[in-house]
Amino acid sequence: MEAQLGRLTRGRWTVAKRCHLGIPMAIENHPRLDDGSPFPTLFWLTCPILVKRASALESEGELARMTSELHSSGSLRGRLADAIERYRARRDAHEDLNVEEKSPPGGGPNRVKCLHAHLAHELSDPPNPIGASTLEKAGWPDCVEPCFRVP
């Protein structure tokens, strides 16, 4: 994981999703770091290709577009609310955090703040409608060789 991320990992985690080459695409984090502070997200996108593509979508205004769609579509809001409830239950199965420490994935039910978080959720524990839309727009990374090598 450290070779793929290019930095040291923090806290406890497991691989939640691998690509067709066996490389981790997303990890599932314990909700607390070793020092007791809350970890910011349950699922973390690690696929370097999808990280770049999600970043590109964010820089092109996709956060605002998806937030606008969320406000205008009751169906999308409902599906996202269901995904958030499932996310919280899975996080709480690791450890039930204090109310002040509980944050919804990627911005919550009324605002899309992080496509990476929604995409990691979609890959690890679907469905997440924002993550699914992000994956559709980003495209599945159909790599022919591993995206990194362990030194």
Side-chain angles (χ1 to χ4, degrees), residues 54-140:
S55 294
L57 287 168
E58 286 183 354
S59 71
E60 295 164 2
E62 197 60 31
L63 295 172
R65 282 192 293 276
M66 286 190 175
T67 297
S68 178
E69 184 178 348
L70 190 61
H71 288 203
S72 65
S73 171
S75 170
L76 179 59
R77 274 193 315 279
R79 290 182 292 131
L80 181 58
D82 290 345
I84 289 171
E85 283 307 309
R86 210 179 60 260
Y87 174 100
R88 286 179 170 150
R90 186 160 173 163
R91 181 192 57 210
D92 291 350
H94 289 282
E95 178 181 344
D96 193 2
L97 299 174
N98 297 325
V99 172
E100 305 83 46
E101 297 173 327
K102 291 185 177 188
S103 60
N110 300 312
R111 177 175 164 233
V112 180
K113 187 172 107 176
C114 180
L115 298 181
H116 302 79
H118 285 285
L119 182 49
H121 186 199
E122 170 65 16
L123 292 170
S124 304
D125 185 28
N128 176 308
I130 301 299
S133 178
T134 302
L135 184 57
E136 181 181 332
K137 290 172 182 164
W140 187 263

